[in-house]
Structures are given as C-alpha cells and as structure tokens.
Amino acid sequence: MSHNVELNQIQKAVLTSFDEGYVELTHDWGGHGLPPVSFKGRGRGAFKLRAPKRGEYALNSRYYIDVQGKVVFVFDTANCSDVHVDATGIYLAGSFNGWQDAIGDERWLMRPRVILGRSVLALAVKPEVFADGGDVLFKFVTEDHHWFQVDTSAASAVVDDENNWNFKYDPAKTGRHLFQFKLSQPVELSENNRLLCASKEGDPQLVDLEPGNFFYELRSDKELGAIVEGKKTVFRLFAPRAKWVEVGLMKTISEDGPDNWISLERREDFVWEIELSENLSGSYYWFRLDGPEGATSLFDPSVNVLDPYAKAVVSREGPAIVIDDKAVVTPVSKFSVPHWEDLVILEAHVRDLVARTRFAPEEGDVAGFSHLSRYAAAKDFYPSRLGVNAIELQPIQENDSESPTDYHWGYMTANFFSPASSYGSDPAAGSQVEEFRELVGALHDRDLAVILDVVYNHVGEPAHLMRIDKLYYFHLSPEGHCMNWSGCGNDLRTESAMATRIVVDSLKRLVSFYGVDGFRFDLADLVGKPVLEIVEKELKKIKADIVLIAEPWSFKGHIGPELRDTGYSSWNDGYREAVKKYVRGDYGQDGLIYFLKGSAEHYASWPAQTVNYVESHDDRVWIDNITENANNDGTHPALGDVRRTHMMVALLMSSVGIPMLHAGMDFLASKNGVNNTYLDGERNALDYRRGLTFPSTVEYFKRWVEFRLSDLGELLRHYTRPKEAYFEFMTVEGSSALACVLNANGEKGNRRLLCAFNPSGHAVEFALGEWADRDWVQWADHERFWGKAGSPLAEAPGDTLYLPPLGCGLWVL
C-alpha cells in the first residue's frame, strides 16, 4: 500500500545513542528514495537517513512481515530484565486471542528463531486472524502469568487512556515507515534537538528528538549533594540535560532567598560540581538550573530546586541544610534483628503513638521524634506492653506537608535522604537528623527492630526531581504527561540508573547512619523487581539481617508471586481478605488452610515470605470492617464483633509467616466507619483509654503475642517449610469450622498444639480421631488466654472437641 508524501508525517523521533536514532512515520513510506526528513539543531554535522533491515525493524517493533505475508511477532529475551524466565514458556497474548486465554495454548507459544545473529522467540500469524477489525494490541506473557513490561521507546509502543502500555501491530506499518539516522557529531542533550519533515503542501513538521533507552543508563558513581571535607565543601548535582547549574548559598534563611549564586561546572559524567574552600556546615542552599524546552521538560531557571541528596531540609520547599556527618554526636545504634520467623510487627505512626500520652507536646505543637523517644523510654510504652519485637513506622522521610503543624501520613515524599522536618524540634537547625538517630536508639533499647515504610514509586509536591529532569526521572506518556499507576500522578522511573542510585543510596544511609533495621516498600510493583534485587544486594552488604518487605501491588499489577526467588517478604492481601470473610462465615476451610500453612508455592517459597495481616493504615480498620453495626461503625462493637476479633488474632498468631498488627487493634480502635483517614490526625491518634473499656481484648492480644514468641510458640514459627504431615486438619460437615493439630508428625519434638475455629452461629463438635483422649490442656478460648495453668472451666476433650458459636481455642499436649 502506498501513501503520498504530503500525507505522511513523523509520529515518533527517538535517539538510540548520542549520534544515532530512528524516525517513525505515521504509515509506510510510498515515495521514491527516502522521506524528506532532516536534522534541526546546532552544529551536529551531517545527517544520514537509511531504511532499516527487516531484522532491525523486527527487534524494534516486535513484529515484521515475512515473504509469505505472515505477521511474525518477535520476543527478544535480552531485553527482559524484569523477570528470570524459561524461554520455552512465553506466549503471544493480545486483543485478538483473549489476552489471558492465550496462556497455555500451544497455538500462541513462541518458538526459538535467530534474527541478525540474536537468539529470539518468534511466532508467525496469518493476517486473517486480525480481520475482525479494531486495534491489534499485543504483549508477551509467561506460562505463570508474568506480563513483560513494554519498552515504551519501541516504535510500536502505544498507551491507552488508563495508562496501559501495549505493542500495536498496524498493517499500515510494515517496516517502510521506520527509518534510521546517524549524525556525524553527537548531540548535546541540553539543546532542543529536532527533526524536520518537509511537505509538498502546508508547513513543514518539526518534531522533538527525544533520548531513548541509552539516556536512562547515564550515571555517575561520584558522591552527590553537599559534602563537607574538613575546611572545604563540595556541591554536586547529576543533571544530564541541564544547560547550566547554580548553587545559591545562605548563612541565614532569608525571604529573598540566596544573594550568592555560584556556577557549577559540568563533568563528562553529567555531574555538575563546585568545590568551595570553606566548611559550610549549617548553611542553607538551593540549586537552580535550565535545560531544553518541550513536553518532556520542566526546566525553569527562576525556580529554587531542592537537592535530591540533601541530608536535611527546612521544609518541603527547602532550603537544604549542609550537614557534616562527623559533627553528629549521637552514636548510631547497633541492633541484632530477630530471625524473620520470630518477628511480630506493629505498624504505627509517629504522631499517633504520642498524641494522647503525657509525652505529647503542648497544645498547638505537634509530636515528633524527640517526643516518641521519651515515650519509648517509659515503662508503659505501648508497643512494649503489647509485646511485639518490631515496629514499622509509617514514612519518616521529608514529605510534602505544607506546614509542620499539619498531620501527614508521609506517603508523599519530597526528599529521600532527609528525616521529616515536621518531626524535628528545630527543623531550621536540622535537629531532625540527631533526633531521628536518637529515636532509633531508643526503640532498640526497648528490643524493637525498626522498620521504615518507604515510598519510591512516586514523589510529593513540589516534585523537585521533575525540575532536575522530568524525562530522566519519571514515566511519561508519548505526550509528556506523567504516568499514574500509583494514583498520585507522578510515577518515578526507578529503573533509570541514577534514580536507582537515589533509592539505594538513601536506603543505605538510613541503615548505616541511622541504624534502621529494615524497610517496607510502598507499591513495590512500581519500584520493580530488578531495582528491588539491587536494593537487596547492596543493603545486605551493610546489614546481613536487614528486613525487606514489599507491598507487592499497584494499580498496574501484582508482583507478589514473582518475588518468591528474592529475599523479600510480601504483604499478603489474600490473607487479609480471607480472614475477614472467614470470621464472618463467608469463606470455606480449603482457602483458609492455604493461608494458615503460609501461602506456600504460589505466594511464598519460604515460611516468612508472607506478612500476614488484616489491618493496616490503609482503608477501614478491622473492627469497622467486620462490625455488625450499620455504616461500618465499630465505635461500640457488638459481642459478635469482639469474638470475631479474638478469633482473628488467634488465627493470625497461629499462621505460618510473619504476623503484623496495626496500632490500636488490641483495644478495638475504631475510625467510626471512615474509610480513608490519611489527613485526620484526631481520628488516627491512639486513644489508649479505650483499652480500659476492652481490657480483656487487650490482654487477649498480649497473651497471644507472648505465646507466639515463647519457646512453645516455636511450633508456630518456621525457618524452613514444614512437611505436609506437620499439619493435620479436621472439619465438620456442613460447617466452615476448622481445627488443626500442629507438629502432628513430631518433626519439632514431642509437644503438639491444637487450634480450633468456629465462625458459624451454631456450636460444632470435631471428631478427634487418633488425637482423642489425650492430655490436652486448654490454654485459650474465645475470651481468655489462661496459658499453661489451663482453663479452670474445661476438661480435656475426649472423642470430640466442642466449640460454641463464634468460638475458638488453643490446646497444648
């Protein structure tokens, strides 16, 4: 099919190196010779255009048309670093074969082939398959349902209105629409490089020439930020497309901003730097820079930009504070993290923990690191009373809170290296650096491992990295709009070399300088498995027992199963939903058995690779979710709500994996049915007096935690996966009630545990079979946890085990 030159335009123009690239036309070129495309830029020398070889086009667009007229789809394994795959189990899936329906269907299995000397997988499809019309969109997927990421720089990559990237086969683009070019001199990234497409009619088309994948591989290993070295201070900023960079210095904070702007020099690795012969510790600074214009840029020479490597900041806007690490007097706290299978985690928020204690600040002020440190030293410190051995703090890095007095959950990070200025007693003096270090030490003194919730999938406002280079640091649509799989509107391109380095370097600082013991990665699906693996490798060099936890989903997908071969544990949303349904009588035993045994195979390859939980900071709290009351308001829970809660914690502490509680669960903390309270400090603040209303529930949680961590509780904690015979389950016909003997095969010695749960509204009896007439001692029921003294109310079960409605219990043999 031929097309007139005046009807053909440039659809995409991409640099594949500093002096090479390709131009994609809207459809096949039907004219004689080469299309009238030329380079528009300063001093780049000769511009040579050529048609690509069929194989080159195939590797770029993931398809080509063979001599028989078939569409040959091509999968290049060399470009798929996001997962380790067996190249024999990859399928072509698309709009023409039902996407998911293609998986496991031999007709869509990719086969080995060689193109331009490279081993690839390919599949030839007759064009009649696509005769029904509509866009022919496609991707590649493994037999275990891993969908490979789309290379957004590929000529055939398209994005829909919901931010879904796919490859697109277009019968009007068979290879004659794609042309490669070479420049005799490399481009200057700081300039607006463009291609010009002439037309016989109308104005010529001018298109921005955007850097491709090579751009995201640019990196430097130099130390960045403000570095104090004796009597000198060095400033460095990586800015690959900047025309110029300046640093503005202030001894004191001024509304007029810096009056002393100093130009930095660019090095070959795109790091801009200046060395000043003065120790500037305690001084304030901003960067300013300029760069090319266009949809993928947000350069503005009039805007003060916060150093992404700033060790402390005055506020989300800045300025940054020069910090001399050697001047910090608080020693970094050393701590031996419990083995993962021995962890019981409490998720909590700095201000929520302190707000209603005697350690809270005076009215009009807000709690911060120093207040929590003092509370942590108190005898009645809540996490210690509950008995957990790890605390997971919601984000403490600088966030985009507009004012220090604003309540903020912290999930909009404005700087990855700086402890939150709003948690410092004197943020302008950088007190938050010393005070966070003291807090970690205070928590360690209470034998609590310190895990931080960190957010590397998007950034807060103002997005300083966007001012440094929007294209390099953010995922963008073809029109230059930020992608939004995070739901926050500015997804970080963590796979860019220096974005990866920011992630790794900031985490390393939190471990080595502050003594942090682990991290939970918010929306880790967007951080990506390759980056997570780099993080694991680098952090374990510093702290071999580092705790690494992923929230493995996003609006884009779920990588929980893909993390099975890594050193990450994952929040288990399946467990969360299953237990909610089970205690309400809406879930069967088979599913619950899977989760009790540790979500083996599909989700977790080793026991502690699942973090089991039913409530977190997100969404409604547990009691509001399961309450019998109207409007999901568990403020005044019914008796059934309390019993279901007791059953839940018994299930949670009896399950293989890492149990996680959310602060307040043990005293049935309610948010009055409100689903999202991320800005509601008053509703989130822990009301410890509620424990006086529900003391038996507080005690019940405490005793179960204590049992989980006891010597006998080792029967619930597993380093390696127990044999199937370790569990012996018993059910009751017509009921979802479930009982289980743990260590049934004796692989952990002679002691046995019997756990039983009845979510139904009627009593049940389990036939105990070979476990009948043993010397079982009941340690707990649905209201009390007596421990080894045993229940004064119950005799040892005989042939059967009786459970009342909404009942549960623990027996020890």
Side-chain angles (χ1 to χ4, degrees):
M1 183 176 182
S2 64
H3 300 275
N4 295 326
V5 61
E6 55 266 28
L7 298 179
N8 215 332
Q9 290 188 316
I10 296 175
Q11 182 162 312
K12 186 184 296 185
V14 177
L15 282 164
T16 55
S17 71
F18 283 98
D19 58 2
E20 293 182 315
Y22 72 83
V23 54
E24 180 191 4
L25 304 181
T26 53
H27 44 249
D28 281 353
W29 170 247
H32 298 291
L34 297 171
V37 176
S38 58
F39 179 77
K40 193 74 172 177
R42 291 191 303 166
R44 297 304 113 198
F47 175 81
K48 295 182 178 179
L49 196 68
R50 71 173 180 86
K53 298 176 182 177
R54 179 180 294 172
E56 291 173 328
Y57 169 68
L59 294 172
N60 181 302
S61 293
R62 275 59 171 185
Y63 72 86
Y64 70 93
I65 311 301
D66 67 13
V67 294
Q68 297 177 336
K70 292 182 179 179
V71 184
V72 181
F73 295 92
V74 177
F75 177 83
D76 186 1
T77 56
N79 292 329
C80 295
S81 61
D82 53 330
V83 72
H84 304 297
V85 299
D86 180 347
T88 61
I90 297 174
Y91 295 84
L92 170 70
S95 56
F96 48 89
N97 62 7
W99 296 102
Q100 293 276 3
D101 296 340
I103 302 172
D105 189 332
E106 288 288 317
R107 293 175 298 172
W108 306 109
L109 180 65
M110 308 292 288
R111 308 289 183 179
R113 188 177 293 197
V114 176
I115 293 179
L116 296 181
R118 292 168 67 168
S119 296
V120 300
L121 299 176
L123 181 66
V125 179
K126 294 180 179 180
E128 298 86 77
V129 172
F130 317 122
D132 290 341
D135 289 342
V136 181
L137 305 177
F138 66 96
K139 281 181 180 174
F140 303 103
V141 58
T142 66
E143 56 196 357
D144 60 353
H145 295 262
H146 170 79
W147 294 85
F148 290 98
Q149 295 181 11
V150 171
D151 179 1
T152 58
S153 69
S156 59
V158 295
V159 63
D160 63 21
D161 293 337
E162 297 180 350
N163 294 334
N164 298 297
W165 281 96
N166 294 289
F167 296 115
K168 179 181 177 180
Y169 159 65
D170 187 341
K173 297 178 179 179
T174 65
R176 285 284 294 165
H177 70 293
L178 194 72
F179 294 85
Q180 295 178 330
F181 65 81
K182 184 172 179 60
L183 297 164
S184 59
Q185 296 179 29
V187 298
E188 175 56 59
L189 294 177
S190 63
E191 296 178 2
N192 283 104
N193 299 294
R194 297 185 172 104
L195 293 184
L196 182 71
C197 185
S199 176
K200 289 183 179 179
E201 297 179 4
D203 296 330
Q205 182 191 16
L206 198 61
V207 178
D208 286 328
L209 183 55
E210 299 290 0
N213 288 340
F214 82 99
F215 176 62
Y216 309 114
E217 297 171 1
L218 300 178
R219 63 167 291 126
S220 171
D221 292 323
K222 290 177 181 173
E223 185 177 359
L224 300 174
I227 306 107
V228 178
E229 299 174 344
K231 295 183 178 181
K232 67 179 182 180
T233 305
V234 178
F235 293 92
R236 294 196 187 103
L237 177 70
F238 175 79
R241 291 198 296 164
K243 294 179 180 178
W244 54 261
V245 176
E246 294 177 341
V247 61
L249 298 171
M250 299 178 290
K251 290 292 186 179
T252 59
I253 299 175
S254 167
E255 290 185 4
D256 297 329
D259 54 12
N260 182 24
W261 288 95
I262 304 170
S263 296
L264 280 66
E265 296 182 7
R266 193 184 80 176
R267 306 306 184 195
E268 291 184 358
D269 56 1
F270 298 99
V271 169
W272 297 76
E273 65 177 72
I274 185 71
E275 180 179 309
L276 302 177
S277 300
E278 184 180 358
N279 184 320
L280 293 170
S281 179
S283 297
Y284 305 98
Y285 70 101
W286 270 299
F287 288 121
R288 280 185 176 178
L289 65 164
D290 196 10
E293 300 174 350
T296 64
S297 300
L298 202 65
F299 296 102
D300 188 336
S302 67
V303 173
N304 294 336
V305 178
L306 191 60
D307 178 9
Y309 273 76
K311 295 175 180 176
V313 300
V314 176
S315 73
R316 69 174 194 170
E317 304 276 356
I321 309 172
V322 178
I323 298 293
D324 183 356
D325 287 349
K326 294 182 287 294
V328 178
V329 298
T330 304
V332 62
S333 177
K334 304 295 183 183
F335 185 78
S336 295
V337 181
H339 293 159
W340 286 27
E341 68 273 15
D342 296 333
L343 290 171
V344 178
I345 299 173
L346 178 72
E347 186 197 34
H349 183 275
V350 170
R351 288 184 177 171
D352 295 348
L353 284 168
V354 181
R356 293 178 180 169
T357 70
R358 64 187 183 280
F359 301 95
E362 296 181 3
E363 188 173 350
D365 201 354
V366 293
F369 295 134
S370 61
H371 302 92
L372 184 53
S373 291
R374 290 194 290 273
Y375 181 31
K379 183 178 180 180
D380 60 346
F381 184 47
Y382 165 59
S384 297
R385 283 189 285 122
L386 181 55
V388 299
N389 57 12
I391 186 165
E392 182 181 303
L393 292 175
Q394 289 179 249
I396 59 81
Q397 294 158 303
E398 182 65 26
N399 59 59
D400 70 0
S401 177
E402 293 186 20
S403 165
T405 60
D406 291 345
Y407 179 86
H408 204 290
W409 265 359
Y411 291 91
M412 300 293 288
T413 314
N415 187 278
F416 296 115
F417 288 82
S418 307
S421 58
S422 59
Y423 286 165
S425 61
D426 188 358
S431 68
Q432 54 270 28
V433 172
E434 196 96 53
E435 288 165 356
F436 180 57
R437 205 169 181 177
E438 291 171 351
L439 173 59
V440 174
L443 294 171
H444 283 167
D445 289 344
R446 298 306 301 259
D447 293 323
L448 290 166
V450 180
I451 302 168
L452 297 184
D453 206 340
V454 289
V455 184
Y456 290 104
N457 56 80
H458 72 281
V459 297
E461 296 292 340
H464 300 283
L465 281 172
M466 206 171 292
R467 298 289 184 180
I468 296 172
D469 202 309
K470 178 181 175 183
L471 178 64
Y472 187 90
Y473 285 110
F474 294 88
H475 283 289
L476 305 179
S477 70
E479 296 77 28
H481 303 308
C482 287
M483 303 298 284
N484 190 28
W485 287 113
S486 62
C488 298
N490 51 24
D491 295 357
L492 199 60
R493 188 187 286 270
T494 55
E495 66 271 26
S496 291
M498 294 301 281
T500 300
R501 196 184 147 190
I502 286 176
V503 174
V504 172
D505 286 355
S506 58
L507 293 169
K508 288 169 70 174
R509 179 168 177 82
L510 287 166
V511 174
S512 60
F513 185 78
Y514 292 102
V516 170
D517 304 302
F519 303 98
R520 176 264 190 190
F521 292 84
D522 184 75
L523 301 185
D525 176 57
L526 298 182
V527 179
K529 184 178 178 181
V531 175
L532 293 173
E533 288 180 313
I534 294 170
V535 166
E536 178 185 355
K537 178 182 177 182
E538 292 301 314
L539 292 187
K540 285 185 174 178
K541 292 177 182 177
I542 303 172
K543 192 176 184 67
D545 57 359
I546 191 84
V547 178
L548 298 172
I549 299 170
E551 181 188 41
W553 54 80
S554 70
F555 290 113
K556 183 180 182 181
H558 197 306
I559 61 168
E562 295 165 27
L563 296 178
R564 287 175 298 171
D565 61 350
T566 71
Y568 285 81
S569 187
S570 290
W571 273 23
N572 195 331
D573 53 326
Y575 184 98
R576 178 192 66 206
E577 298 307 309
V579 172
K580 285 180 190 176
K581 293 177 181 177
Y582 182 77
V583 301
R584 290 190 298 232
D586 300 329
Y587 197 75
Q589 301 103 324
D590 290 345
L592 190 68
I593 287 171
Y594 167 78
F595 291 111
L596 282 170
K597 291 165 61 178
S599 304
E601 304 306 328
H602 174 68
Y603 204 78
S605 61
W606 37 280
Q609 202 169 26
T610 169
V611 173
N612 301 324
Y613 76 109
V614 298
E615 175 187 319
S616 70
H617 61 276
D618 274 330
D619 305 320
R620 289 192 180 94
V621 294
W622 164 267
I623 197 66
D624 292 347
N625 248 312
I626 59 94
T627 184
E628 298 171 5
N629 299 337
N631 302 317
N632 292 106
D633 189 350
T635 306
H636 304 289
L639 175 61
D641 299 341
V642 176
R643 285 197 171 185
R644 290 183 179 94
T645 299
H646 288 195
M647 187 184 305
M648 172 273 292
V649 75
L651 281 165
L652 187 64
M653 293 302 158
S654 301
S655 300
V656 174
I658 301 174
M660 186 187 83
L661 300 169
H662 182 228
M665 290 181 70
D666 55 316
F667 45 82
L668 303 176
S670 168
K671 295 183 181 180
N672 318 116
V674 178
N675 187 55
N676 193 347
T677 60
Y678 77 104
L679 294 178
D680 194 341
E682 182 64 25
R683 203 180 301 271
N684 292 329
L686 295 173
D687 183 4
Y688 299 110
R689 293 174 301 178
R690 193 169 166 89
L692 301 177
T693 305
F694 303 103
S696 60
T697 299
V698 171
E699 181 69 13
Y700 195 77
F701 270 69
K702 176 183 175 181
R703 296 299 298 275
W704 264 108
V705 172
E706 182 181 28
F707 179 72
R708 172 83 184 201
L709 296 176
S710 69
D711 290 342
L712 187 55
E714 186 180 352
L715 298 180
L716 303 170
R717 310 191 308 267
H718 301 274
Y719 176 73
T720 57
R721 192 164 297 287
K723 296 180 175 63
E724 282 294 315
Y726 186 86
F727 308 92
E728 186 170 326
F729 291 97
M730 290 165 276
T731 60
V732 177
E733 187 175 352
S735 170
S736 57
L738 181 68
C740 178
V741 175
L742 295 106
N743 195 33
N745 61 352
E747 67 180 85
K748 279 199 171 191
N750 295 324
R751 304 304 296 271
R752 306 286 194 278
L753 301 180
L754 172 59
C755 300
F757 314 96
N758 176 23
S760 68
H762 56 271
V764 297
E765 288 192 55
F766 295 92
L768 292 180
E770 66 172 296
W771 300 105
D773 297 315
R774 304 285 187 103
D775 294 328
W776 293 107
V777 177
Q778 186 172 11
W779 281 38
D781 67 5
H782 50 276
E783 290 187 355
R784 291 146 295 200
F785 196 114
W786 298 281
K788 62 183 178 182
S791 167
L793 309 174
E795 298 179 356
D799 293 338
T800 62
L801 174 69
Y802 172 84
L803 270 188
L806 295 182
C808 63
L810 169 69
W811 291 260
V812 176
L813 180 61

